Every structure is written in structure tokens, then in C-alpha cells.
Amino acid sequence: MSKRFKYHRLPGKLLRKNISIPQLLGYAFATLAGMIILFSAFCFREDVKPLFLSDSNLLKPGFMVVNKKISVLSAFAEGVSIFKSSEIDEIKRQDFVRSVSYFTPCQYQVKAMISLSGRGSELATEMFFESVPDKLLNRISNKEWKWDEKSGLIPIIIPRDYLNLYNFGFSGSQGLPQISESIIQQIEFQVLLYGNGIYEEFKGRIVGFSNDLNTILVPETFMVWSNNKFAGADEGSEKISRLIIEVKNPADPKIAGFFAEKSNYEVNDNQGEQGKLSYFLTILIIAVIIVGALVLLPAMGLMLLSINLMVYKDRQTLNDLLLLGFDRRTLVRPYSVLVVFLNITVGISGIVSAWIIRGFYFPKLAVLGITETSGALLPTIVFSSCFVLILTVLDVFWIYRKIHLCCR
Amino acid sequence: MDKIQVNRVLPDFISGTGNSVSEIWSKELAFHRGKNYLIRASSGKGKSSLLSYIFGERTDYTGDILLDQAKLNTLTPAQWIKVRRTKISCVFQGLRLFPDLTAIENVIVKNQLTDHKTPVEISDLFVRIGLEEKMKEKVARLSFGQQQRVAIIRALCQPFDFILMDEPFSHLDEENIAVVAGIVKEELARKDAGLLLSTLGEEYPFEYQQTFEL
């Protein structure tokens, strides 16, 4: 039996005699270097992912809110804090601007009320609504952020500071209970809208909190609908006091230069320190991936050339085996087995090396609040395995193609 | 497979030279299973070419060659594998043995594809051709005559309807020719197979139903 098995290896024995060990070692080391860089970059990205997915910002990355400074004059002269169309056009013309959107204010009166059961009291406040284009918002599900006239339920997002103000200021002084974010999202309250001679009651529910949009936000569709219904005829013209600017590159120095010139503008940079850090890390990771690719591409080229050379040197043997009645699949196998073995070995070494490198940098990420220790392992293994698989399929396909061309 | 038809075949290297006076080139003929054919010609007339065309090794010709009704140029790679494993065997003039393998490995590399002969049968054949001592010797160290005998044994390790032998005994003495030809005759009879044998002029101990001058 063992003898028979040995004889089954005869084609492999014939075809492996032209393998160049130095070439394969060169390929293995170059590929290993490229894979370590690539896998480490991926692993690092997985580690710092919480920064990218930070839930503190409601606006998508790359957006900033601009308003005019409130001065003493604003108190006396109406319209000082309103953007003129010429000013908006000037902003739109800047190189760094991709698009400009507006806050749409409600043009009617809003009152919110909530009954505190068991205490026989009621909290009520005058308030307002604003909306921004829904496409600018991050991490709000379409299901929640939807206005449906039939249900009469208005989804609302409030600044997180409002809740903090209540919990750490108001509730204590008034003997009221503190409320968590999850609890407040369960509570429905009454919302009264009146204007244009109409008075109507709705239900309201907080569906989220924002750190970067200092307003009480409702869905754009609700704002259009409610302004149509409740706004008076004389309140048709929009007064734009805040702009949302989408910039092409948040790190562009022209942005700071432009707003430094406009001393009466205030910029609330949505990116914040964390946003800038995420942006910087993204650039860093992309740069590292490019370096990894620059190392890997010549290594892959070397492997393809080695395959060409091996098949070329073996072409007589390959033809003889074909004339004996061997099929191409059998002839491809000795080379494929070699490539698969080599790529798996290099791939495993790459993953292990990347994990060892992670051991050096990971403790330093604690500064950024990242302490989860093993979350990156599985995604890194999956990514690396897929990469090795694709590389191997490419190599095997190349072998098959070369043998096919060689043994017509 | 019962016959090989050669219809108006003309090698490219003869085409246009006006040197096509031949009993095979540009003629229509058929080789039948169970019969022996001698193809005789001096060097350079295309004996090896004809056998290479039939075996699908070369395609530099015009005209058609058919295995039964199937034109060679319509066969798929999978069909060629079947033809070379079960329908046609070939002893190449250049032998096409693997010098890095031993004599027995050269035979087994074929037999493992077909599982046609048992190890005992193969050993017996080596004994009969007088190479039992050389079985484990690398082929590169054997004389050409010894290599020819190994190549013939290898060609017999498969089922076939035809066997193509291209100057198979050119380096064998009469005694060895008689032994090897005897083994080939036994196989031909057992398989009811046809023989296409090319020579420079020698006839060798076979009974031919037809002889062609190229």
C-alpha cells in the first residue's frame, strides 16, 4: 500500500526537480513582510474601530456648523445673526466646501408637557423644533427617524446636555428622580402645536441625543409637513441663522484661514478632537496599507515569475506526462500543493507576527480609552485568511493557465 | 475503436515541395484493428510525423485523421486522455522516458494510470526482456537498447486497440528483437489490436497485412 502511495507521487517527483529554493524563499520573505504590514494595519484598524464608531456625533464626519456671533447689536437689530444669500454664496464658492445645508426652524409655537404620575404635577415648557436634511445624520435608524401623520408620534433628538442639566441640576433641587437615557426614550409626552389659527396635540418621544447639534431636532419630513400646516402666511420666508457645511477634507488649512478672516462667524467643528483623531488614524492606516501593498505586489510578481520559470523548465516532462495520458489537473497538483503549503505557512506566520506586534502597541492605546483585548483577533484572522485564499487562488489559476498554454 | 482513417493528409513540411510521391501522403486509407501495418521509408520522409499526427502530438498537416468517425481536431482534452489511456498506445522514437526515474518507475508511472498489469506481471516482463537486474537502475544509466525495451514494456501497460511503434527495435540485436516482438505479438493477440510499425527498411518478425512506402 505504501509502495503504491509512493508511486502516486511520481509526477510530483518529476515536476518538483526544477523548483528553485532561493526564489521561493525570496517570495516567502517578501510576502511575509508585506503580510505583516497589511495584517498589522488591519489589526490596528480593528483596535481603534471604537473611535470611528464613537456615538458622540450625530452629524456624519466632514460636517461643521457655522453661525454668526451674537453681539450686543443682535439684541437691538433684527437680522444681524441671519445669513444673507450673498454670504451663503461666498461660502459655497470656497474650494474646501462640498455642499451647504441649512437648519430649518419651525414657524409656529410648540409646547411640551409631561405628567408626573403620583405627584399630581405636570411639567410644561415652551420650546421649538429645527430640522436638518436627514442624509446628514449618522446612526439614526430610518425606522425610528420617521414621521407618520397617522400615528401622530413626533421623533425628537435633544442635546445630551439638556438631560445632564436636568439630572445634575434640576432634579436634585426639585426632589425629582434622575432619568437615564434609556428610560427617557421610553417616555411619551404631549406636544402641542399652534399657529395659523390651528391648535393640535401630538405625542412626542426622544429617540436620541446629540453632542454636536445644539438644537431640538425633528425629522425633515415632519418639519415640511408641520410648517405647511401651522405656519402663517407672513411667516413663509426662511431666516437662516445656522449653516451646515460639508467639507472635502477636514484637515484642509484653508478652512481655518477662511473662518479666521470672518471674525463674526462661529464654527462648531463637528469633528471634535476625536473626529480629527479618527481622520488622522484613517490616513495613517491607508498609508500603511499602501506600503504593505507596495511590498506585496513585487512579491506576488516574483511568485508568478517563478511559476513561469518552473513550468517552462518542466515543459518537456509535462508534455511527456500528457502523452502518457495524465490529465492537466494531475499535472497542476504538484505545483499547487507547493504554493498552497507556502502561502498557508507564510499567512500563519504573518498573522502570528501581526499579533505579536499588536502586543507592543496595544497597551499604549489605553490613552485613547481602548482596552478591549481580543476583539480584533477574529476579524484579523478572517481578513488574513481571505487574503491568503485570494492570493492562493490567483497563483493556482496562474499555474493552470501556464500549464494549459505549455501543453496544448 | 476499429479503424484509423487517414484522409488526404499532407505534412506542412512536404506541402509545396512537390515531393509528395507516397503511398500515404495525400491518399485515403484506413488502418484496421487486428491487423499489422509496416510503414517503411528512409529518414526525413515523415514516418515519425505520421505516428505523431495519429497520437495527437503534432498538428502540422492538412487533411483529416479520424478515429472511427471522430476527427482528431474535434477531440477534447478529456477525450484525448481516454484515447491515450485506453485506445492507442505508442512507443516513441525518442522513447520519452524520464531519466530521473528508475526503469520500473518509468513503467509504473504509466501503469498507475491504467492499473492494467499487476506488479508480478510487470516483473515477469522485465525478466523476459532480460532487464530484471536493471529494474531499479535510473534510466539515464541504461543503454539506448535497454531503454527501448523499457519503453516497449511501458507501452504495453495499458489497454489499446492500436499500438504505434516508431523504429522500436533500432538498437536491439536479433535475439532481443525476437523476445520483445514475441511479447508484443502476445499482447496484440490478447487485445485483438492493430500494429503500425515504422522502420527504415527492416521488417522485423511480424506478419504484416499491408506495407506502405512513404
Side-chain angles (χ1 to χ4, degrees):
Chain A
M1 193 69 187
S2 63
K3 203 166 189 176
R4 187 178 176 80
F5 179 65
K6 188 178 129 196
Y7 287 135
H8 262 285
R9 291 175 171 177
L10 287 174
K13 182 179 171 183
L14 285 167
L15 295 174
R16 289 207 187 103
K17 71 175 197 278
N18 282 320
I19 288 173
S20 164
I21 300 295
Q23 267 178 20
L24 291 186
L25 281 179
Y27 163 76
F29 281 114
T31 307
L32 180 61
M35 281 186 184
I36 290 173
I37 295 170
L38 195 65
F39 297 171
S40 294
F42 183 86
C43 187
F44 182 72
R45 182 186 164 277
E46 285 298 309
D47 280 328
V48 299
K49 211 173 184 178
L51 293 179
F52 299 115
L53 300 176
S54 161
D55 66 352
S56 60
N57 290 334
L58 188 65
L59 277 178
K60 287 179 179 169
F63 289 90
M64 47 179 62
V65 177
V66 179
N67 58 268
K68 289 186 173 179
K69 281 181 183 166
I70 303 297
S71 63
V72 178
L73 192 61
S74 311
F76 302 104
E78 196 184 345
V80 173
S81 62
I82 304 296
F83 282 100
K84 294 176 198 158
S85 58
S86 60
E87 291 170 325
I88 296 173
D89 288 341
E90 185 191 7
I91 292 175
K92 280 183 180 171
R93 282 198 301 273
Q94 300 307 310
D95 287 345
F96 58 81
V97 173
R98 194 188 300 274
S99 67
V100 177
S101 315
Y102 320 108
F103 280 79
T104 307
C106 65
Q107 293 162 11
Y108 46 82
Q109 303 297 309
V110 182
K111 191 173 182 180
M113 290 181 296
I114 184 165
S115 297
L116 299 171
S117 54
R119 290 178 176 270
S121 58
E122 186 180 75
L123 286 175
T125 180
E126 297 285 336
M127 60 188 286
F128 68 97
F129 288 145
E130 280 188 301
S131 75
V132 296
D134 288 346
K135 64 180 180 183
L136 307 188
L137 299 179
N138 228 349
R139 68 180 179 80
I140 288 292
S141 74
N142 289 335
K143 197 178 162 192
E144 273 191 327
W145 196 241
K146 194 174 76 175
W147 161 243
D148 177 9
E149 195 180 339
K150 282 180 194 161
S151 73
L153 180 70
I154 308 166
I156 298 169
I157 292 173
I158 62 169
R160 184 167 275 112
D161 283 346
Y162 283 23
L163 185 64
N164 290 340
L165 209 60
Y166 169 83
N167 276 335
F168 304 120
F170 188 70
S171 67
S173 66
Q174 301 296 312
L176 294 168
Q178 290 190 318
I179 307 173
S180 72
E181 288 187 9
S182 56
I183 287 177
I184 204 168
Q185 291 187 38
Q186 307 296 320
I187 300 172
E188 285 186 4
F189 50 89
Q190 288 170 284
V191 179
L192 305 177
L193 305 186
Y194 47 101
N196 201 20
I198 308 170
Y199 176 96
E200 202 167 330
E201 192 177 312
F202 296 88
K203 286 176 287 180
R205 194 165 69 83
I206 309 287
V207 296
F209 300 88
S210 83
N211 285 359
D212 53 342
L213 283 178
N214 199 10
T215 188
I216 300 171
L217 212 58
V218 290
E220 193 181 10
T221 47
F222 172 75
M223 186 57 81
V224 171
W225 177 85
S226 58
N227 270 344
N228 277 338
K229 186 166 183 178
F230 295 101
D234 58 333
E235 294 173 274
S237 61
E238 282 187 30
K239 292 170 182 172
I240 298 165
S241 59
R242 284 195 285 183
L243 305 176
I244 303 171
I245 301 175
E246 184 187 4
V247 294
K248 292 171 185 166
N249 172 7
D252 191 340
K254 285 182 195 158
I255 300 173
F258 176 78
F259 289 111
E261 278 178 25
K262 305 283 178 187
S263 57
N264 61 332
Y265 287 4
E266 263 183 346
V267 180
N268 175 12
D269 184 351
N270 160 56
Q271 292 289 301
E273 289 308 313
Q274 212 163 26
K276 283 176 182 163
L277 183 63
S278 299
Y279 184 78
F280 170 74
L281 288 176
T282 305
I283 297 290
L284 181 74
I285 290 166
I286 290 172
V288 173
I289 286 173
I290 289 172
V291 172
L294 287 177
V295 175
L296 271 173
L297 283 175
M300 287 164 66
L302 178 66
M303 186 55 175
L304 299 183
L305 279 176
S306 299
I307 291 169
N308 285 2
L309 199 63
M310 274 193 289
V311 172
Y312 181 76
K313 283 180 177 172
D314 286 339
R315 67 191 186 287
Q316 183 66 50
T317 308
L318 286 165
N319 264 313
D320 289 350
L321 288 168
L322 209 62
L323 288 176
L324 281 186
F326 280 87
D327 57 80
R328 287 185 172 82
R329 206 181 308 162
T330 308
L331 303 184
V332 167
R333 197 175 298 139
Y335 302 102
S336 303
V337 167
L338 178 74
V339 165
V340 168
F341 172 77
L342 200 63
N343 283 351
I344 288 177
T345 307
V346 170
I348 290 173
S349 308
I351 294 170
V352 170
S353 305
W355 202 249
I356 291 170
I357 288 170
R358 181 183 183 271
F360 290 105
Y361 73 71
F362 192 77
K364 296 180 174 58
L365 293 182
V367 178
L368 301 175
I370 294 167
T371 50
E372 176 63 41
T373 53
S374 59
L377 182 60
L378 188 64
T380 305
I381 289 175
V382 170
F383 169 79
S384 309
S385 305
C386 289
F387 183 84
V388 171
L389 182 70
I390 291 169
L391 188 67
T392 307
V393 167
L394 177 75
D395 288 340
V396 171
F397 171 76
W398 190 262
I399 291 166
Y400 189 87
R401 185 173 163 272
K402 279 289 145 190
I403 288 182
H404 191 76
L405 288 175
C406 180
C407 308
R408 279 174 186 277
Chain B
M1 194 175 80
D2 291 324
K3 64 176 176 181
I4 299 170
Q5 280 179 269
V6 179
N7 289 348
R8 312 187 76 77
V9 168
L10 189 61
D12 292 347
F13 65 87
I14 292 179
S15 178
T17 62
N19 185 21
S20 60
V21 179
S22 159
E23 291 177 5
I24 291 181
W25 301 138
S26 299
K27 303 285 189 299
E28 293 200 357
L29 55 115
F31 302 108
H32 293 272
R33 183 176 179 175
K35 294 184 177 176
N36 299 338
Y37 301 90
L38 181 68
I39 300 158
R40 201 160 44 189
S42 53
S43 294
K45 289 291 179 90
K47 296 185 297 296
S48 298
S49 300
L50 174 67
L51 301 186
S52 299
Y53 297 158
I54 294 171
F55 204 57
E57 188 189 351
R58 284 169 51 190
T59 55
D60 53 324
Y61 63 92
T62 53
D64 288 319
I65 299 174
L66 294 86
L67 307 181
D68 285 340
Q69 303 303 319
K71 286 185 183 178
L72 288 193
N73 55 13
T74 63
L75 295 184
T76 62
Q79 286 171 319
W80 270 118
I81 288 168
K82 192 177 175 190
V83 165
R84 289 168 183 160
R85 285 187 189 179
T86 62
K87 305 295 180 191
I88 303 178
S89 188
C90 186
V91 179
F92 305 95
Q93 191 182 55
L95 306 184
R96 291 183 178 269
L97 294 173
F98 303 107
D100 291 329
L101 298 185
T102 63
I104 185 76
E105 284 175 336
N106 265 283
V107 174
I108 284 173
V109 80
K110 174 80 190 194
N111 197 62
Q112 72 178 17
L113 277 179
T114 58
D115 212 13
H116 190 62
K117 292 203 181 292
T118 64
V120 173
E121 286 172 328
I122 293 172
S123 296
D124 285 349
L125 286 171
F126 269 95
V127 171
R128 286 179 68 185
I129 61 171
L131 289 180
E132 72 272 26
E133 301 291 321
K134 304 283 184 183
M135 273 169 59
K136 293 186 179 172
E137 195 87 48
K138 281 200 172 177
V139 155
R141 294 196 198 135
L142 302 184
S143 71
F144 197 78
Q146 289 169 326
Q147 290 184 24
Q148 274 187 326
R149 280 178 274 167
V150 174
I152 291 167
I153 297 299
R154 182 178 72 177
L156 299 180
C157 286
Q158 69 167 91
F160 57 81
D161 300 326
F162 288 90
I163 185 165
L164 317 179
M165 303 184 84
D166 193 2
E167 298 186 39
F169 308 128
S170 59
H171 286 66
L172 300 185
D173 56 40
E174 286 197 4
E175 191 182 337
N176 273 312
I177 290 174
V179 171
V180 177
I183 294 171
V184 173
K185 277 190 220 174
E186 287 170 20
E187 291 285 341
L188 288 171
R190 194 176 302 140
K191 295 178 167 76
D192 188 25
L195 167 70
L196 274 70
L197 189 144
S198 76
T199 73
L200 288 166
E202 306 85 345
E203 297 215 343
Y204 303 128
F206 291 98
E207 291 169 10
Y208 302 102
Q209 276 69 45
Q210 205 168 349
T211 299
F212 294 96
E213 300 286 341
L214 259 181

